[in-house]
Amino acid sequence: MSDPSEPLLIDPKGLLLDLALQRSVPELLELIVTRLSETPRIGLVRIWLTQPTDACTGCRSADVCATQSQCLLLVASAGRSIASAGLEWRNVEGEFRHLPLGVRKVGQIALKGEAIEEPEFFEPFPDWVARPDWMRAEGICGFAGQPLIHQGQILGVLALFSRRLICEENMGWLRMIADHAAAAIAIARAFTEIETLRKRLELENEYLREEATESAAFGELIGHSAALEAVTRQIDLVAPTDSAVLIYGESGTGKELVAREIHRRSKRSDRPLIKVNCAAVPRELYESEFFGHVKGAFTGALRDRVGRFELAEGGTLFLDEVGEIPLELQSKLLRVLQEGELERVGEERTRRVNVRIIAASNRELRSEADAGRFRQDLYYRLSVFPIEIPPLRKRLEDIPVLAEHFLELSSRRLGRPKPPLTLAAVQMLQQYDWPGNIRELQHVIERATITSTKGRLNIELPHRASNHSLPVSVPESQSILTAPQIRQLEEDNIRAALKLTNGKVFGASGAAQLLEMKPTTLASRIKALGIS
């Protein structure tokens, strides 16, 4: 037995001061159990913390926990055996790793928030003693179980098994240490959460800076065609909801712009819109890209990584080219969409996520699903509200304003004077079929801005242009019209057609038929130009 004159606790004041310096919960817990078990007069010190029962795995009392929302998890342990030389009790696994609230003495402390103090006891041991043989062999004769309470919330239990009588002074120190430990745990958790949020904010800012750089050239949805107005009406309908949206259309039609507009008009607009280009993710990295991974999960995983789902928490996740996700990985994506839960690669902890999904594809996913190349259940989950983006060749009336917009952006970015967009240039652009859609138009205008000389816009189109296209180079003698002049020309032309048809827009011998325009398109142009 130990010398009765030796103190039970070594420097409890110093321990209290050191607790206040800790900012990491694991290091804090290790400090407490290590310092309290420094002498052989203390047999064992352990700390359990409360956790949600849905985070339990391998619990031996699952039937009890099923009726509870919280249980106790053993998180720190320290002590040395006198019966088995060299044996230390650092392991947090084993029989007492999980304890339901109200079960055994530790569970009773956590349930009621009241200490159990047995300064000294003798055989026969009290009924609550789980292992009397162990206590007899290790000479345990005192116990102090203190609840860890901070601002009325029970965080866990600090338990100390002593080989000596625990006098009232030492019991008082243990109560004080438990109170300070609870406050230190709460502060350390707050610091951990702040650091997590800081890192997450850095990741979001870095991601959004990259996205802003990539998308700056496109601006917002531009145009006044009937086809684009139909898309806008669909956006207005679905944006305020949390329904999944599937955007489909040819490459370069602006599917990402539509996704951004849906997010901007939604109630999630104050949270991030995170994009994943599914076609650019290597097959072996899909899970890590979507769900994240922990350090050491695989070769090259040098640190924890947050996945795109967690980055988009509370916001919107845009899955571009969703049809490119390998078939065998689609089931894992479907589970997250259905359950709202995921696990990082290499981690057993289940995390809940609240994310709205917007997907896009230039492939007909319904046909892909029918052919077995895309999961039908995933298709139905994604296509709650489908939106089709028309190709540019079906939006010819939008080409002048789009070209003017890209010309302005290109000139500003290149630091050059903006050359005028002539009527001949507009007609040339409208006679091309635009297989690359709006993206191709942007690149053509940028190239024309670079090659423009003497204030003349030199537009060069591929050979896929119509046989009736105007000459590629605009003659210098060509009359140059400004954008306001083009608008005025269009307005005068429509007014003349309305005058000839006595104001009739629709039907036979109407202005729409005379102008070879769709009646809805003409009505839209009349409204846009302010023609009464």
Side-chain angles (χ1 to χ4, degrees):
M1 296 294 292
S2 57
D3 186 347
S5 64
E6 293 179 347
L8 184 66
L9 303 177
I10 297 179
D11 193 17
K13 292 182 181 179
L15 175 58
L16 294 177
L17 293 174
D18 291 341
L19 291 180
L21 302 177
Q22 297 300 314
R23 296 294 179 264
S24 164
V25 174
E27 293 178 4
L28 170 67
L29 301 175
E30 188 64 24
L31 173 70
I32 296 171
V33 297
T34 299
R35 293 280 289 274
L36 288 178
S37 64
E38 281 182 322
T39 73
R41 296 175 290 285
I42 302 297
L44 178 64
V45 180
R46 285 187 160 179
I47 296 177
W48 286 263
L49 294 182
T50 58
Q51 66 164 11
T53 52
D54 57 12
C56 289
T57 56
C59 179
R60 299 184 181 182
S61 305
D63 54 333
V64 179
C65 285
T67 62
Q68 299 182 353
S69 61
Q70 286 191 317
C71 70
L72 290 172
L73 177 68
L74 180 61
V75 292
S77 176
R80 282 169 294 277
S81 172
I82 60 173
S84 302
L87 177 61
E88 294 196 7
W89 294 306
R90 290 281 183 181
N91 186 20
V92 294
E93 303 292 336
E95 180 181 356
F96 303 108
R97 175 171 173 78
H98 296 277
L99 287 176
L101 302 187
V103 174
R104 300 194 182 282
K105 58 184 177 302
V106 173
Q108 288 290 338
I109 296 170
L111 178 65
K112 298 179 180 179
E114 299 175 355
I116 294 180
E117 298 174 345
E118 294 283 350
E120 187 176 26
F121 47 75
F122 306 94
E123 295 195 52
F125 294 118
D127 294 339
W128 52 259
V129 174
R131 296 173 60 186
D133 292 342
W134 173 81
M135 296 186 70
R136 188 178 300 110
E138 296 295 339
I140 304 298
C141 61
F143 172 79
Q146 300 292 338
L148 302 175
I149 304 176
H150 179 69
Q151 294 184 350
Q153 180 183 3
I154 301 174
L155 305 182
V157 175
L158 168 65
L160 181 145
F161 297 84
S162 172
R163 295 188 174 102
R164 257 183 47 188
L165 164 72
I166 306 176
C167 66
E168 183 56 34
E169 180 184 0
N170 286 324
M171 200 68 81
W173 278 116
L174 289 173
R175 297 179 195 124
M176 193 179 303
I177 290 171
D179 289 341
H180 281 68
I185 289 171
I187 293 172
R189 283 177 170 174
F191 270 95
T192 300
E193 184 175 359
I194 291 171
E195 181 64 15
T196 300
L197 292 174
R198 183 187 67 79
K199 290 181 178 179
R200 178 174 173 176
L201 183 60
E202 288 178 353
L203 287 171
E204 289 181 1
N205 288 341
E206 180 181 352
Y207 175 83
L208 293 175
R209 281 195 297 269
E210 293 174 358
E211 288 294 289
T213 301
E214 292 177 3
S215 62
F218 282 87
E220 57 185 13
L221 292 173
I222 294 173
H224 46 244
S225 65
L228 186 61
E229 288 180 355
V231 171
T232 303
R233 286 194 295 271
Q234 289 178 296
I235 292 174
D236 287 336
L237 288 172
V238 76
T241 74
D242 274 342
S243 297
V245 180
L246 177 60
I247 307 169
Y248 58 99
E250 297 178 9
S251 179
T253 51
K255 296 186 288 293
E256 184 177 343
L257 281 182
V258 173
R260 291 182 182 280
E261 193 65 17
I262 293 172
H263 175 73
R264 187 181 70 83
R265 301 188 193 187
S266 74
K267 59 187 177 182
R268 296 172 178 263
S269 58
D270 59 337
R271 297 296 300 145
L273 168 67
I274 302 298
K275 172 188 172 184
V276 181
N277 186 350
C278 301
V281 180
R283 178 182 294 265
E284 62 275 9
L285 294 180
Y286 265 100
E287 288 188 73
S288 174
E289 184 71 17
F290 283 132
F291 313 134
H293 63 251
V294 296
K295 180 179 179 181
F298 51 84
T299 303
L302 303 179
R303 59 183 177 87
D304 289 357
R305 183 181 188 276
V306 177
R308 298 295 189 181
F309 269 92
E310 287 186 78
L311 271 178
E313 173 63 28
T316 304
L317 182 63
F318 176 49
L319 302 177
D320 197 11
E321 302 302 345
V322 69
E324 302 299 326
I325 299 178
L327 189 62
E328 64 272 16
L329 296 173
Q330 292 175 16
S331 59
K332 297 183 178 181
L333 175 61
L334 179 64
R335 176 181 175 272
V336 178
L337 300 185
Q338 289 177 331
E339 307 296 334
E341 297 178 345
L342 58 83
E343 293 90 31
R344 292 183 183 177
V345 178
E347 184 181 57
E348 294 184 358
R349 173 188 170 188
T350 299
R351 301 169 184 265
R352 294 201 60 82
V353 289
N354 175 20
V355 174
R356 182 187 192 172
I357 299 296
I358 301 177
S361 178
N362 57 11
R363 296 158 58 180
E364 178 50 63
L365 291 187
R366 179 61 181 269
S367 301
E368 294 290 301
D370 291 342
R373 293 187 292 269
F374 196 85
R375 289 182 64 105
Q376 285 195 346
D377 46 5
L378 179 57
Y379 167 74
Y380 291 123
R381 173 68 62 172
L382 295 174
S383 61
V384 174
F385 194 94
I387 298 179
E388 181 179 7
I389 311 300
L392 186 56
R393 61 183 173 274
K394 294 184 179 180
R395 297 172 49 194
L396 295 181
E397 55 267 55
D398 289 337
I399 287 180
V401 289
L402 284 168
E404 186 71 29
H405 173 70
F406 291 140
L407 188 58
E408 179 72 32
L409 289 177
S410 298
S411 300
R412 189 185 311 135
R413 187 168 58 252
L414 296 171
R416 294 191 174 190
K418 176 177 167 288
L421 183 67
T422 66
L423 178 59
V426 170
Q427 291 175 339
M428 180 191 306
L429 294 173
Q430 287 181 322
Q431 293 183 45
Y432 181 60
D433 61 359
W434 298 107
N437 292 293
I438 298 175
R439 186 180 295 116
E440 184 182 9
L441 174 61
Q442 180 196 8
H443 295 163
V444 166
I445 295 299
E446 183 171 353
R447 184 166 59 248
T449 307
I450 295 172
T451 59
S452 63
T453 56
K454 298 180 181 179
R456 179 168 58 89
L457 193 64
N458 185 32
I459 295 177
E460 299 177 358
L461 292 173
H463 294 301
R464 288 188 60 171
S466 167
N467 293 332
H468 299 289
S469 296
L470 296 180
V472 170
S473 296
V474 181
E476 293 194 28
S477 60
Q478 169 70 47
S479 175
I480 296 176
L481 298 178
T482 64
Q485 288 173 326
I486 293 174
R487 180 184 177 92
Q488 187 61 51
L489 180 63
E490 183 181 14
E491 181 180 345
D492 293 342
N493 195 45
I494 291 176
R495 287 184 184 277
L498 290 171
K499 185 175 181 180
L500 284 174
T501 59
N502 293 319
K504 183 179 180 182
V505 176
F506 298 86
S509 302
Q513 186 182 67
L514 183 63
L515 293 170
E516 297 183 1
M517 296 175 65
K518 291 181 178 180
T520 53
T521 301
L522 177 57
S524 174
R525 296 302 301 131
I526 290 173
K527 181 180 178 181
L529 293 169
I531 300 173
S532 60

